[in-house]
Amino acid sequence: MKIRLKNWGAAASKGAEAPLKLLNPLLVFISIFVLYNLLGLVDVPWNIVGSYSKDAPWLMFFTALSALGIVYVISKLFIRKVKVSNEVKGSPALLGTVLFCIFLMCLAVSIVTNGGVALFLGEARFSNSAVLYNLAQMYGLWVLLSSINQVEKGYRVRKIPIFIYLVGITAFGYRSPALAFGIVLGTYFLLYRVPASKAIKIGSVCGVAFIFVSAIMSGFRVSQDYDVEKFFNNIDYKYLSEHPYYTPLVPALAMFDYSQSTVSDIASNLPDLKMGDLFLSNYETFLPGQHWGARNIVGDIVGARWVSGRPMSITPTLQGGLYIDFGYVGIFIGMLVIGFMISILYRMSLSGT
């Protein structure tokens, strides 16, 4: 199946027409960052309040937000506008074929070594080879960039490669790659193909749908091995019994609070700064031998239980990961770098690179 998309960029560049008013990616990033963190930092009625100290999470949040705010002000005051270009470059098909073969090989080896599809085997997904899992995602990156390239050229988007990748990568038992794929592709359309007024409305609906789908998948995985209510123990189920419409969203609602709880545990339990070791850890998984990924290292720091011979993988939030490596200075500088990268890459994209 193929779909045809209107070339908004070409329409916006015509001198006779007013250019489309598009969303600023840095402002969107800051808005989502603030929303995600505040849903965990603010005492909401569906969470159990007072179970951990929020002093460190609040300080990390404000440190990160101040850096992003500085970048936004600089980008608005001192960075000149670029002339929009419609130049589009190609994406080599041979590379896609090679990465597709690697993807199929990684998926097949995972199924054979696990004795089935990891998605349906509960905690068996934690025994997946990090090398196979990371290599498989390279095909997804190519499909993502190729799809965007097709839109930029005014061609039809090929749905079959997208479908194959999303089904195959989900079979590894993790939702993150599939959700990241959808987020990036959706963000591209909202930032480059849809006027700002419509993008905010569509983005809000898609955001709610994203949270809902993510919660359902998380609840399904947890229910394979645990009692859902005992697993998400930071939720006030008495409140949910009075407001049952929140029940399907329990995994997502618990995640916001748990993210800040993890940050609090990191600040309390981190013996020494890792000085970049956490950042490099995922790349080390490509080396021979056994290596923990970044989230396994975080799990060890916060005292998570062990599964398949290593600590359970825990996501530390963006500022939490920077703190583990370089402390509060790392959060501030890291967010400056991230903010400027978003601004620079956005300018490069408008110039046709």
Side-chain angles (χ1 to χ4, degrees):
M1 296 180 63
K2 298 179 179 180
I3 58 176
R4 187 74 180 179
L5 295 160
K6 184 178 180 180
N7 195 331
W8 287 96
S13 65
K14 294 179 180 179
E17 300 179 17
L20 289 176
K21 182 175 178 57
L22 301 176
L23 291 176
N24 184 316
L26 180 58
L27 186 59
V28 172
F29 177 80
I30 294 174
S31 300
I32 295 175
F33 177 80
V34 169
L35 179 62
Y36 178 90
N37 281 276
L38 288 184
L39 284 173
L41 289 168
V42 175
D43 291 335
V44 289
W46 54 75
N47 285 139
I48 296 176
V49 179
S51 58
Y52 63 93
S53 172
K54 293 187 177 181
D55 293 343
W58 272 112
L59 183 55
M60 292 186 196
F61 169 67
F62 282 125
T63 302
L65 185 60
S66 63
L68 291 173
I70 290 173
V71 175
Y72 181 73
V73 171
I74 292 176
S75 67
K76 295 295 289 184
L77 295 180
F78 301 107
I79 299 180
R80 294 182 300 174
K81 293 183 179 180
V82 297
K83 183 178 180 181
V84 177
S85 170
N86 290 319
E87 179 186 359
V88 180
K89 299 181 180 179
S91 53
L94 177 60
L95 176 61
T97 302
V98 172
L99 292 176
F100 177 65
C101 292
I102 294 175
F103 172 75
L104 292 180
M105 179 195 68
C106 293
L107 181 60
V109 173
S110 173
I111 293 174
V112 171
T113 55
N114 284 314
V117 178
L119 177 63
F120 304 110
L121 299 177
E123 291 190 343
R125 65 193 179 93
F126 292 117
S127 62
N128 271 321
S129 166
V131 174
L132 295 178
Y133 178 59
N134 288 329
L135 280 177
Q137 293 178 68
M138 297 303 295
Y139 175 62
L141 178 60
W142 185 88
V143 173
L144 177 65
L145 297 178
S146 179
S147 299
I148 292 175
N149 189 260
Q150 291 161 20
V151 178
E152 288 291 314
K153 287 186 172 183
Y155 297 161
R156 296 173 180 176
V157 176
R158 299 182 181 90
K159 284 188 174 181
I160 293 179
I162 295 176
F163 176 79
I164 291 175
Y165 172 71
L166 292 180
V167 172
I169 201 64
T170 305
F172 280 88
Y174 292 93
R175 62 187 173 180
S176 299
L179 293 177
F181 186 99
I183 288 174
V184 174
L185 193 58
T187 300
Y188 161 73
F189 281 105
L190 292 178
L191 293 181
Y192 292 93
R193 299 284 154 180
V194 181
S197 57
K198 290 184 178 180
I200 294 175
K201 299 176 184 177
I202 297 173
S204 299
V205 173
C206 291
V208 173
F210 165 74
I211 292 174
F212 191 80
V213 172
S214 177
I216 291 176
M217 186 171 179
S218 177
F220 167 73
R221 291 191 319 190
V222 170
S223 64
Q224 290 180 304
D225 297 292
Y226 306 99
D227 180 275
V228 173
E229 290 192 11
K230 291 182 179 179
F231 188 88
F232 299 111
N233 55 15
N234 59 342
I235 293 293
D236 184 351
Y237 289 96
K238 181 180 178 181
Y239 177 83
L240 255 62
S241 66
E242 299 170 355
H243 304 80
Y245 42 85
Y246 284 120
T247 302
L249 297 175
V250 162
L253 299 178
M255 173 193 65
F256 297 121
D257 179 72
Y258 185 70
S259 294
Q260 303 303 328
S261 173
T262 299
V263 170
S264 180
D265 288 340
I266 289 171
S268 301
N269 301 328
L270 184 65
D272 297 296
L273 299 180
K274 296 293 184 180
M275 304 306 292
D277 286 345
L278 184 73
F279 176 78
L280 295 174
S281 59
N282 279 331
Y283 300 97
E284 291 175 349
T285 60
F286 286 102
L287 301 176
Q290 296 291 326
H291 302 277
W292 288 357
R295 296 197 300 180
N296 298 116
I297 295 175
V298 175
D300 186 51
I301 293 172
V302 301
R305 58 191 176 82
W306 284 54
V307 180
S308 301
R310 54 188 172 185
M312 186 176 180
S313 61
I314 303 292
T315 303
T317 74
L318 191 55
Q319 64 271 31
L322 292 168
Y323 176 85
I324 291 173
D325 270 336
F326 302 109
Y328 289 103
V329 174
I331 295 175
F332 187 80
I333 296 178
M335 285 298 185
L336 285 178
V337 172
I338 290 171
F340 280 118
M341 284 181 62
I342 293 174
S343 295
I344 292 171
L345 290 173
Y346 181 52
R347 287 167 53 79
M348 291 173 63
S349 69
L350 294 179
S351 65
T353 303

